[in-house]
Amino acid sequence: VETNAHTGFMLYKGNHENVLNTANMTSFQKKLSMLLRYNIDFFLLYRAMQDFVTRFDIAHSRLLEDDDFFFESPEELWKSVGLDAAVTTSLAAYCRSLWVPEKLPWWRRFWGQGALQEELLEGMNLVNYNQDNKAINALAGIASFSLVGSPPFSILGGNVQLISSAWDQAQRNHCQKCPNRCDALRHVRERVSIVVGSLDGFEVFGENGSLLGTHDIVIMATPLSMSKIDFFVKSNMDASVLQEMPLGKLIEVSEDAMIPEDPVGHAMLPRSLPPLVLRPYQQVVTTIVRNGVLQADFFSLASDELVPKAVYMTAQGKAELYNITAISEISADRGIYKLFSNDPLPHAVLVKVLGSDVTVEVEKVWGGRYGGATPDYRGNGGSTEFLLFDGASGFHGHTKAGALYYTNAMEHTLACMETSAMGAKAVAKLVAKRLDWRSPTAT
């Protein structure tokens, strides 16, 4: 049981200067302090955020609750609720459209007000996405800001519980739907290296070249830039010759083609995927330490009562503190803290912010050529369709087999647990539609 756990957060601007310290404040006091510091800017963005949340909830309910709605792409989903422009606009540009400035005029600074973009928004987006307001898209940035109005979702025991929970639910549903064939679902723990598509389905190969299975439908649930999977198709001229699989944009076949209804097929030649889909993700280093004590003097805190549970950095604060974006208290009694940064942290930096007794327990680098924590938005969140490849459509006629789906298409527009679930649901519904497991009354 924690006996002296701290509460609230603080923004660190560098040069031993902190702003907006909400330690030991109630929820009402936190909102009031933000409103006083950021004034009309906070009100304008908060009102816009409430509209975003309402629209997001509608999109969420349409995917998860309404079986009559099917979406072929994230763009189609966001467009249905009026959030498509927020995906392709940077947060900085969106704030300007609301008359929320990046820099405050002198007279507002004179009255003790702060720049919302420079302080609160920058701090939130650096810790969540390791990108500033010009790099993050408006939808992702407003999602970060929404935490000021409602507590974040969390999973007891960590996000790893999602996998086991989903597998258990799938097993139960399988037994309910097929009580006479309630055998255990097969879970093969192998790294996939090659997928070969044809009109008959997909052959999936492991790292050692062994055939892991042949499947009608393949669902990819990891970012393309991290997958380390090569996708091929068999040549129509010679099945022993493999060609690059034309992933990405699908085309509609002309109406006079001799094919059934719903004439959707892949391009005759490979087309490039949107650049964002292929970029390496942003590198983030997670460091867990023990015996740490947040150094009040370094952060110019007058007393222990002002020590917050978390410290978020503005761009200036991050640059001063070896690219640290956040310092969060996990256990006050044991001095356990979690730090996010661009690169591994020297011991001298840890001592500077957490005292001389600090020791590193875990250091995890999320990055490299095939890694990272969040998409590299670069000011927008373009994506691709959920159906990456359809080997059994178009000029060859339509069958149930030969479809490659991509759940992470949603993540390229907004990376969080909720949208990951939405991407999975969107794909599940499209697969069910393809296999005639559902009979929608609307599309």
Side-chain angles (χ1 to χ4, degrees):
V1 178
E2 291 288 332
T3 58
N4 60 340
H6 302 109
T7 64
F9 70 91
M10 178 186 76
L11 295 174
Y12 180 66
K13 293 185 66 175
N15 196 28
H16 306 286
E17 181 183 357
N18 66 77
V19 294
L20 197 65
N21 189 351
T22 65
N24 294 320
M25 287 187 182
T26 64
S27 177
F28 173 77
Q29 289 172 328
K30 290 177 185 177
K31 287 184 182 178
L32 182 60
S33 66
M34 286 186 267
L35 183 59
L36 290 174
R37 180 160 184 82
Y38 304 120
N39 206 267
I40 187 66
D41 297 343
F42 182 83
F43 171 77
L44 291 172
L45 198 63
Y46 193 87
R47 186 175 62 178
M49 178 270 291
Q50 289 178 312
D51 179 61
F52 271 49
V53 170
T54 299
R55 294 174 185 272
F56 182 89
D57 287 343
I58 294 172
H60 192 269
S61 62
R62 283 182 178 176
L63 263 181
L64 297 182
E65 299 172 15
D66 197 329
D67 291 340
D68 290 336
F69 282 93
F70 294 81
F71 296 98
E72 303 291 340
S73 68
E75 180 185 12
E76 188 178 315
L77 172 62
W78 296 130
K79 190 172 183 178
S80 73
V81 294
L83 289 177
D84 50 316
V87 173
T88 55
T89 304
S90 72
L91 179 61
Y94 179 75
C95 285
R96 286 196 298 271
S97 72
L98 295 178
W99 298 94
V100 175
E102 184 176 357
K103 303 286 186 180
L104 287 185
W106 69 268
W107 58 270
R108 290 186 62 180
R109 295 197 303 270
F110 177 79
W111 289 105
Q113 295 180 22
L116 179 63
Q117 278 207 62
E118 250 186 355
E119 296 177 3
L120 186 60
L121 289 186
E122 199 98 284
M124 286 183 163
N125 288 314
L126 286 176
V127 67
N128 286 332
Y129 300 102
N130 201 24
Q131 295 168 78
D132 62 24
N133 300 334
K134 294 178 181 177
I136 205 75
N137 69 52
L139 183 61
I142 298 298
S144 293
F145 183 70
S146 68
L147 297 182
V148 305
S150 58
F153 291 96
S154 60
I155 299 171
L156 186 63
N159 292 344
V160 70
Q161 301 297 322
L162 277 176
I163 305 301
S164 58
S165 174
W167 191 256
D168 291 342
Q169 289 183 55
Q171 183 65 60
R172 288 196 301 271
N173 291 337
H174 172 60
C175 290
Q176 289 174 0
K177 300 294 183 181
C178 308
N180 297 326
R181 296 190 298 110
C182 188
D183 51 330
L185 296 176
R186 194 163 66 100
H187 184 198
V188 179
R189 296 177 60 88
E190 292 281 352
R191 181 178 292 279
V192 175
S193 62
I194 297 174
V195 173
V196 178
S198 69
L199 299 182
D200 301 319
F202 294 92
E203 295 174 336
V204 179
F205 296 89
E207 279 188 305
N208 59 1
S210 61
L211 179 65
L212 301 179
T214 302
H215 307 276
D216 293 335
I217 307 290
V218 170
I219 299 174
M220 187 172 180
T222 190
L224 275 170
S225 58
M226 296 187 191
S227 69
K228 296 192 249 185
I229 299 174
D230 293 317
F231 294 91
F232 299 105
V233 291
K234 295 180 179 179
S235 170
N236 292 331
M237 303 293 292
D238 184 350
S240 64
V241 177
L242 300 182
Q243 301 173 188
E244 182 182 352
M245 184 180 290
L247 302 177
K249 187 174 182 180
L250 303 184
I251 62 170
E252 291 189 1
V253 181
S254 61
E255 295 182 0
D256 57 350
M258 300 298 294
I259 58 175
E261 296 180 0
D262 194 18
V264 177
H266 61 79
M268 292 294 290
L269 298 174
R271 296 191 180 189
S272 299
L273 289 164
L276 185 146
V277 175
L278 299 176
R279 291 177 198 149
Y281 274 35
Q282 283 282 316
Q283 175 167 300
V284 174
V285 178
T286 301
T287 306
I288 308 294
V289 302
R290 185 182 294 275
N291 301 326
V293 178
L294 195 69
Q295 298 301 287
D297 290 343
F298 181 85
F299 292 103
S300 300
L301 300 173
S303 68
D304 290 341
E305 293 182 358
L306 296 176
V307 174
K309 188 176 183 66
V311 179
Y312 302 141
M313 311 296 167
T314 67
Q316 183 178 336
K318 175 188 174 185
E320 178 190 295
L321 270 185
Y322 208 80
N323 285 324
I324 295 175
T325 57
I327 305 170
S328 302
E329 178 186 276
I330 306 300
S331 170
D333 286 350
R334 292 177 289 171
I336 299 177
Y337 283 82
K338 177 170 65 176
L339 298 91
F340 292 147
S341 59
N342 285 16
D343 303 289
L345 297 172
H347 186 71
V349 174
L350 295 175
V351 170
K352 183 185 297 185
V353 296
L354 293 171
S356 59
D357 293 332
V358 66
T359 58
V360 175
E361 291 289 307
V362 178
E363 183 181 80
K364 172 65 177 178
V365 178
W366 307 91
R369 184 181 177 189
Y370 298 110
T374 57
D376 185 5
Y377 290 106
R378 300 187 191 179
N380 65 71
S383 188
T384 185
E385 296 185 344
F386 293 116
L387 182 59
L388 278 183
F389 174 76
D390 190 350
S393 293
F395 296 104
H396 299 288
H398 184 79
T399 69
K400 298 293 190 295
L404 171 64
Y405 290 92
Y406 184 46
T407 64
N408 287 74
M410 283 294 294
E411 188 174 90
H412 296 300
T413 61
L414 170 58
C416 66
M417 293 303 301
E418 291 78 14
T419 50
S420 293
M422 289 166 69
K425 184 67 175 183
V427 167
K429 292 173 75 171
L430 290 174
V431 171
K433 179 183 178 183
R434 184 186 186 93
L435 299 177
D436 297 327
W437 290 350
R438 293 172 184 261
S439 299
T441 58
T443 57

